[in-house]
């Protein structure tokens, strides 16, 4: 009962934060977002006027005037001539209702119609797969390594993990991705190695259509799935190399603090075997702290790391789409950039939310203070 | 009680702190790394010309440099014998309309020079020259090239139709060999080759290159000029070149002062904000604390990188502005720590002072909080730097948040754009990343070394 | 009487620290019979907790047992493997209520989970274990629903009782109580002392009762061991030590026993607690001793057996 109440409160809390983040982003971006909307209106009005002209011939001047009137009306309807603080809410509304407009360069993405919604949606599975698997697995491995290091405090292994963990946070993930490609895709081919890895991409080119248009189908096709896994090796390795150290480092320092707690000694006095002490008296109490400390560094891990890593591996995800929208086209593709920003923020908030629920679930003290 | 006159940080004198710092292994490593960084920055500031930024962005300046050339020292590793860049220069000052001089060059390489440039500085639009080259080869043959019209500062010799046919003629006449120069490629390598048993071989030995330069307007004469012949190499310098011909060594060098400055200024700003917010929240309590804590939580949650990407695109931020926005978006974590330390200190101080009889917040701030927080702030500054350097490098890699000078992230962006990766040009993609890591790791190691000294929690 | 329950023979423990080697225990010996209580008293830092931890073998990593034996029912438990000791002794024969029990409960597990663990581990079915735990809680005067609470929902006194309940539910022969009542208010202190007395009668327990409070020790102790700077100063039956203390240090302690029990460290004997890294030469108490003689500065006093069965480490009785 009180538990449900607590979770509900947590959800409300995070939803508020999500809204505030969105409002801030909307405010910051209300300028360009309005521009995007204006472009859409222009474009649609032109089409409309052209169609009308087919049935009702008129002079160019008349057509132009008609166009201007329609644009005026539409702009009014969308609140484009309202003051900024009102426009923010229009922008917010557009974001929330998936009214994301059209790409300036629809051909650059290979997704039909150039509608931003379909571009972003086609990129979502890639990002979710790489990010969730990457974060989850590197967390598991990293925490395990950190725990072992702490248990062997002062050993060579412990020092190795400490330095690896510390240095790890100073390595750009995307650059490690570049090195991976250089070594495992380029050089392996040069030496005619029997095993080589792809330069990039999310699946083999012949499967792209399935992936872009019907991702669900791609998952039940074993060939495409195999191709996906094959393409995932290098990006995942990159994610591991750069993220495991951080998790190990956090886990180690938290566990080191907890090992000195009286209740761990007392668990030994009680005659509990080592395994049970580690899992119930060290890891359980350590988890909330580990998760909390990872919290603060997540914004960087996620956005600095994963988005650019996707771009390097041309992994069809939000990061790669963002990369195309910024540097792959002649001028920045604003509608795509905006929608991509919203979507990654949303993903990020969902991730934070899952983390919070986890922490909340594990730590009765937090549960109390919330409930 | 400590003497008031003596400056103490975290209860230790500066001398003691320095001693602890220097005596730890991490401290020594961090000092060594800093010496490297600062040394490189000073070297860069002294050696790079003040207009280096515009030079870098002017492709004409780099056209005589080899393109995509690995560093010269690969010769030592591979023994392949790639010809390095060679440049002969001569200052002339004459009223006469003809100069003539010769250079000697020893071709000991199995992959000869790619091209030949004639460079004349200064070069004004009105005066043009005609050049003849005759090259005496180790086998005693002479190849004559010319006349070439020289109308700009840099004249590429190898790809003109005329030179090509002259070289082909030479091969026909001397060896009866029908040479084909691939479309768009330079004929210069064939000047340094010979035919043996029906196929092309490099011809090693001493070459003498004679240049004759005639002013096309005899009344003006040659004047004061620096005339150079440049043999474009296959390897170049310490760090090689990129597709434009940029000397990567210079580009990498320029990154040192830039990333240090940007990183440190970022850390100063964000730490200042964090301290202000954390102290205010910790000391004022009540509503102020509530509001500031909420704000801090919020700032921690903001996905700074994407917002920065959008702002950089939108406002065409340069690296300094992007750094400023980053600082404004990312002080949350530090502020949270400062607040909790402040709360601890304040509680402890109150308990202590309750016995003596009350004290003002200001008194506690001056006598208890600041002496403990300021050294910790130093730590926060140091740990803040790597994040900024990585974030900004990431932006640069998207060709955003640029600077006049080349940045390491930007060099990597161009590497990616020009397909350096697929063609395995490691000298273009490995060093910039390594340098980013070097700077970040320097600060991380320093942070590890000073944390036990300045962290009030660890010392307890 | 046969073999005593516990014999500690010349136990010496060092701590390796950055500043040097802390000689925390130096040749400490004592015996304990079944259903007997020995009070270990001494100033802070005298090594009391070190004795307790050495007996249950949970000394910190930097501790080194440099000599001596801990013989439990005729077996030198220091020689057993960790696994053997864990399986057959910890919580089976010897339980401990550690100093600072406030922090001895895992904050993320409910009381019941922590209480039944050692029982379930030894094959008691879970349902029975919960019943036993509930009864143990009741026997220390806590309501049964404490089982379902988390530690942070309990007061300090309640946590202390939970730990004591855990110790007795195992039905061990020996319970080591390391300052079980410090940091509790006087009322709770008295309650817990009464509880301990009752439990001792009911379950025929032996106690090692560690405290710096002589008055408190007098309520429970059959024997008293006075520890000074890691060495035994005086050891004997409680009656004798209380009525006629021999060692000048014990005498100092006795005269300064406050009438009211309070949580007060024994710092009223003039002088400082000596450093254990560079202990004073000869008798470690000599810098503070009112009867100090030349020999005290030069030579260690031997352990002298007095006629009444007491042991005193003091040149006065040589
Ligand atoms: N892990 C350790 N490392 C180094 N020195 C230690 C360690 N544990 C205890 N000591 C030192 O050993 C000596 C004895 O400590 P111990 O905890 O046994 O004292 P105590 O008599 O229980 O004191 P208190 O009444 O304060 O609990 C002290 O000088 C203490 O500083
Ligand atoms: Mg103790």
């Amino acid at each position: 009962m009180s538990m449900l109440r607590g979770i509900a409160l947590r959800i409300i809390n995070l939803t508020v934060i999500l809204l505030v983040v969105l409002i801030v982003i909307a405010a910051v971006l209300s300028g360009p977002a309005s521009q995007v909307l204006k472009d859409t209106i222009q474009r649609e009005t032109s089409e409309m006027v052209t169609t009308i002209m087919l049935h009702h011939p008129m002079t160019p001047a008349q057509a132009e005037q008609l166009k201007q009137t329609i644009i005026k009306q539409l702009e009014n309807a969308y609140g484009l001539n309202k003051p900024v603080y009102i426009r923010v809410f229009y922008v917010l509304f557009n974001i929330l209702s998936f009214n994301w407009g059209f790409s300036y360069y629809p051909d650059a993405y290979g997704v039909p119609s150039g509608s931003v919604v379909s571009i972003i949606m086609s990129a979502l599975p890639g990002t979710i797969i790489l990010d969730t698997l990457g974060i989850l697995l590197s967390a598991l491995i990293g925490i395990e390594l950190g725990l072992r290091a702490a248990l062997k405090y002062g050993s060579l292994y412990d020092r190795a993990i400490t330095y690896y963990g510390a240095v790890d946070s100073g390595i750009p993930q995307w650059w490690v991705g570049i090195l991976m490609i250089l070594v495992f895709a380029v050089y392996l081919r040069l030496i005619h190695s029997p095993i080589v890895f792809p330069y990039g991409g999310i699946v083999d080119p012949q499967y792209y259509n399935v992936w872009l248009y019907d991702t669900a189908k791609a998952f039940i096709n074993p060939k495409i799935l195999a191709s996906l896994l094959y393409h995932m090796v290098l990006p995942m390795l990159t994610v591991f190399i750069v993220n495991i150290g951080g998790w190990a480092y956090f886990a180690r320092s938290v566990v080191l603090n907890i090992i000195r707690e009286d209740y761990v000694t007392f668990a030994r006095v009680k005659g509990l075997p080592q395994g049970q002490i580690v899992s119930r008296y060290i890891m359980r109490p350590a988890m909330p702290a580990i998760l909390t400390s990872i919290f603060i560094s997540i914004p960087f891990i996620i956005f600095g790391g994963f988005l650019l890593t996707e771009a390097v591996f041309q992994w069809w995800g939000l990061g790669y789409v963002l990369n195309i929208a910024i540097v792959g086209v002649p001028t920045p593709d604003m509608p795509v950039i905006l929608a991509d920003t919203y979507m990654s923020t949303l993903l990020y908030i969902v991730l934070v939310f899952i983390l919070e629920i986890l922490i909340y679930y594990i730590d009765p003290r937090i549960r109390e203070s919330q409930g | 009680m400590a003497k008031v006159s003596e400056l103490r940080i975290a209860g230790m004198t500066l001398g003691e702190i320095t001693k602890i710092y220097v005596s730890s292994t991490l401290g020594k490593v961090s000092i060594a790394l800093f010496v490297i960084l600062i040394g490189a920055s000073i070297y860069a500031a002294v050696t790079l010309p003040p207009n280096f930024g515009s030079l870098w962005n002017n492709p004409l300046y780099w056209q005589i440099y080899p393109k995509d050339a690995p560093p010269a020292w690969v010769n030592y590793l591979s023994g392949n014998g790639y010809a390095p860049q060679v440049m002969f220069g001569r200052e002339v000052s004459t009223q006469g309309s003809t100069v003539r001089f010769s250079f000697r060059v020893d071709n000991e390489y199995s992959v000869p020079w790619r091209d030949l440039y004639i460079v004349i500085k200064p070069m004004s639009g009105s005066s043009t020259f005609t050049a003849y080259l005759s090259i005496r080869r180790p086998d005693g043959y002479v190849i004559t090239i010319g006349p070439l019209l020289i109308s700009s500062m840099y004249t590429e010799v190898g790809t003109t139709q005329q030179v090509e046919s002259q070289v082909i003629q030479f091969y026909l006449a001397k060896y009866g060999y029908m040479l084909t120069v691939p479309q768009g490629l330079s004929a210069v390598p064939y000047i340094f080759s010979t035919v043996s048993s029906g196929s092309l071989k490099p011809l090693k030995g001493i070459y003498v290159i004679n240049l004759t330069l005639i002013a096309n307007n005899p009344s003006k004469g040659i004047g004061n000029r620096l005339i150079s012949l440049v043999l474009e190499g296959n390897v170049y310098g310490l760090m090689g070149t990129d597709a434009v011909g940029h000397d990567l060594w210079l580009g990498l060098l320029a990154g040192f002062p830039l990333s240090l400055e940007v990183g440190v200024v970022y850390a100063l700003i964000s730490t200042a904000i964090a301290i202000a917010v954390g102290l205010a929240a910790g000391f004022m309590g009540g509503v102020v604390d509530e509001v500031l804590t909420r704000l801090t939580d919020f700032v921690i949650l903001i996905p700074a990188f994407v917002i920065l990407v959008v702002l950089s695109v939108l406002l065409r931020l340069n690296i300094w502005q992007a750094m400023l926005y980053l600082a404004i978006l990312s002080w949350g974590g530090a502020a949270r720590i400062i607040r909790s330390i402040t709360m601890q200190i304040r509680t402890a101080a109150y308990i202590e002072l309750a016995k003596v009889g009350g004290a003002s917040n200001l008194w506690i701030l001056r006598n208890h909080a600041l002496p403990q927080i300021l050294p910790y702030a130093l730590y926060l500054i140091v740990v803040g730097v790597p994040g900024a350097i990585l974030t900004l490098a990431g932006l640069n890699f998207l060709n955003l948040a640029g600077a006049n000078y080349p940045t390491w992230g930007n060099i990597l962006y161009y590497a990616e754009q020009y397909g350096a990766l697929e063609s395995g040009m490691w000298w273009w993609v490995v060093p910039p990343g390594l340098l980013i890591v070097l700077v970040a790791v320097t600060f991380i190691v320093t942070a590890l070394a000073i944390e036990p000294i300045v962290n009030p929690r660890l010392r307890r | 009487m046969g073999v005593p329950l516990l014999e500690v023979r010349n136990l010496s423990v060092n701590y390796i620290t950055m500043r040097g080697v802390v000689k925390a225990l130096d040749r400490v010996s004592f015996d304990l019979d079944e259903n007997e209580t020995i009070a270990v008293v001494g100033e802070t830092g005298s090594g009391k907790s070190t004795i307790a931890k050495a007996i249950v073998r949970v000394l910190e990593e930097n501790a080194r047992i440099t000599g001596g034996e801990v013989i439990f029912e005729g077996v030198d438990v220091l020689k057993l493997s960790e696994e053997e000791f864990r399986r057959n002794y910890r919580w089976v024969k010897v339980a401990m209520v550690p100093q600072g029990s406030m922090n001895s409960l895992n904050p993320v597990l409910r009381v019941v989970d922590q209480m039944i663990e050692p029982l379930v581990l030894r094959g008691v079915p879970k349902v029975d274990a919960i019943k036993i735990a509930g009864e143990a809680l009741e026997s220390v005067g806590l309501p049964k629903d404490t089982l379902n609470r988390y530690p942070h929902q309990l007061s300090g006194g309640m946590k202390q009782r939970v730990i004591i309940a855990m110790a007795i539910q195992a039905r061990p022969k020996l319970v080591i109580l390391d300052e079980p009542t410090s940091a509790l208010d006087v009322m709770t202190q008295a309650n817990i002392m009464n509880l301990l007395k009752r439990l001792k009668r009911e379950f025929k327990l032996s106690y090692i009762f560690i405290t710096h409070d002589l008055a408190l020790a007098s309520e429970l102790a059959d024997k008293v061991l006075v520890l000074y700077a890691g060495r035994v100063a005086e050891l004997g039956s409680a009656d004798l030590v209380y009525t006629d203390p021999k060692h000048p240090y014990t005498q100092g302690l006795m005269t300064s026993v406050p009438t009211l029990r309070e949580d007060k460290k024994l710092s009223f004997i003039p002088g400082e607690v000596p450093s254990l890294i560079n202990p004073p030469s000869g008798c470690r108490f000599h810098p503070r001793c009112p009867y100090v003689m030349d020999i005290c500065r030069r030579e260690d006093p031997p352990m002298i057996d007095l006629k009444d069965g007491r042991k005193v480490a003091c040149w006065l009785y040589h």
Side-chain angles (χ1 to χ4, degrees), chain C residues 45 48-50 99 178-179 210:
Chain C
K48 306 183 295 292
S49 297
T50 306
Q99 186 171 17
D178 193 351
E179 310 211 14
I210 294 174

Side-chain angles (χ1 to χ4, degrees), chain B residues 346-360 363-364 368:
Chain B
R346 198 176 68 144
T347 318
Y350 269 137
I351 291 170
E352 189 183 310
L353 289 166
K355 301 168 196 160
V356 189
S360 71
W363 191 88
I364 298 176
H368 287 259

Side-chain angles (χ1 to χ4, degrees), chain C residues 15 17 22 24 43-50 60 62 99 179 212 265 276:
Chain C
Y15 289 108
T17 69
V22 178
E43 289 166 299
T44 179
S46 55
K48 306 183 295 292
S49 297
T50 306
E60 284 84 355
N62 62 336
Q99 186 171 17
E179 310 211 14
H212 52 254
K265 299 282 173 195
L276 293 180

Side-chain angles (χ1 to χ4, degrees), chain C:
Chain C
M1 261 212 4
V3 277
L5 178 69
L6 176 75
E7 288 174 75
V8 174
R9 293 273 154 268
N10 293 323
L11 184 63
S12 303
V13 175
N14 288 348
Y15 289 108
I16 317 287
T17 69
M18 297 224 282
R19 297 208 195 112
V21 175
V22 178
K23 301 178 192 78
L25 287 184
D26 187 14
R27 285 165 290 152
V28 170
S29 304
F30 63 91
D31 290 352
L32 186 66
D33 284 327
E34 251 172 71
N35 202 14
E36 193 182 33
T37 299
I38 185 168
V40 177
V41 293
E43 289 166 299
T44 179
S46 55
K48 306 183 295 292
S49 297
T50 306
I51 293 184
K53 289 185 212 159
I55 293 174
V56 288
R57 295 184 41 176
V58 290
L59 286 166
E60 284 84 355
E61 304 240 298
N62 62 336
R64 302 282 178 277
I65 297 181
T66 53
E69 293 147 14
V70 175
I71 301 167
F72 202 96
E73 295 178 324
V75 179
D76 183 357
V77 295
L78 295 185
K79 295 220 166 66
L80 298 177
S81 77
E82 168 72 16
E83 182 57 20
E84 226 175 322
F85 183 72
R86 178 186 76 76
R87 201 183 287 278
N88 301 328
Y89 287 85
R90 286 202 188 120
W91 229 243
V92 179
K93 296 202 164 147
V94 49
M96 174 162 120
V97 175
Q99 186 171 17
S101 293
M102 309 290 155
N103 305 321
S104 291
L105 290 173
N106 185 341
V108 299
L109 294 181
R110 286 178 308 165
V111 169
V112 60
D113 300 321
Q114 305 191 46
M115 287 192 78
I116 64 172
E117 259 178 337
L119 297 173
V120 172
L121 186 71
R122 292 186 165 96
V124 182
K126 205 170 164 185
V127 196
D128 298 348
I130 293 176
K131 232 178 87 198
I132 295 173
E135 282 160 11
L137 281 182
E138 278 180 335
S139 72
V140 297
L142 287 175
K144 247 192 184 136
D145 68 3
T146 312
L147 281 178
N148 292 318
R149 307 269 209 105
Y150 282 97
H152 68 272
Q153 299 166 320
L154 305 177
S155 73
M158 289 163 93
K159 285 188 217 167
Q160 192 84 51
R161 281 164 192 245
V162 168
I163 304 267
I164 293 174
M166 289 167 95
I168 54 152
Q169 76 177 7
R171 301 279 184 276
K173 300 219 160 143
L174 170 66
V175 180
I176 301 172
L177 301 150
D178 193 351
E179 310 211 14
T181 61
S182 62
L184 295 182
D185 64 82
V186 181
M187 278 302 291
T188 323
Q189 219 175 48
N191 280 340
I192 287 192
M193 288 310 287
N194 289 334
L195 171 71
L196 290 175
K197 279 185 220 161
R198 204 188 75 223
L199 295 173
K200 179 182 174 186
R201 266 200 316 275
E202 259 175 56
F203 300 115
K204 294 246 171 300
L205 298 175
S206 298
Y207 287 144
I208 296 178
F209 185 81
I210 294 174
T211 181
H212 52 254
D213 187 339
L214 266 175
L216 204 61
S218 70
E219 292 189 22
L220 210 56
D222 303 311
K223 277 184 186 170
V224 175
L225 183 148
V226 181
L227 208 55
Y228 185 79
R231 282 189 184 168
V232 177
E234 183 161 359
L235 170 63
S237 79
D239 301 340
L240 290 172
V241 174
Y242 276 98
T243 50
D244 177 23
K246 291 292 188 206
H247 197 286
Y249 175 62
T250 321
Q251 290 167 1
L253 285 184
M254 288 302 164
T255 52
S256 58
V257 167
T259 41
L260 256 181
R261 283 191 218 127
E262 340 177 319
D263 180 39
K264 207 174 182 187
K265 299 282 173 195
L266 296 174
S267 56
F268 26 74
I269 299 174
E272 294 265 316
V273 186
S275 147
L276 293 180
I277 295 175
N278 291 309
S281 61
C283 174
R284 289 183 179 183
F285 186 57
H286 84 251
R288 294 164 78 185
C289 184
Y291 312 110
V292 61
M293 304 177 293
D294 250 5
I295 189 163
C296 303
R297 300 201 176 87
R298 280 182 283 111
E299 277 179 61
D300 257 1
M303 190 59 82
I304 294 158
D305 289 296
L306 299 185
K307 279 190 242 42
D308 52 10
R310 240 188 301 177
K311 294 171 196 291
V312 174
C314 181
W315 284 115
L316 286 176
Y317 305 95
H318 191 61

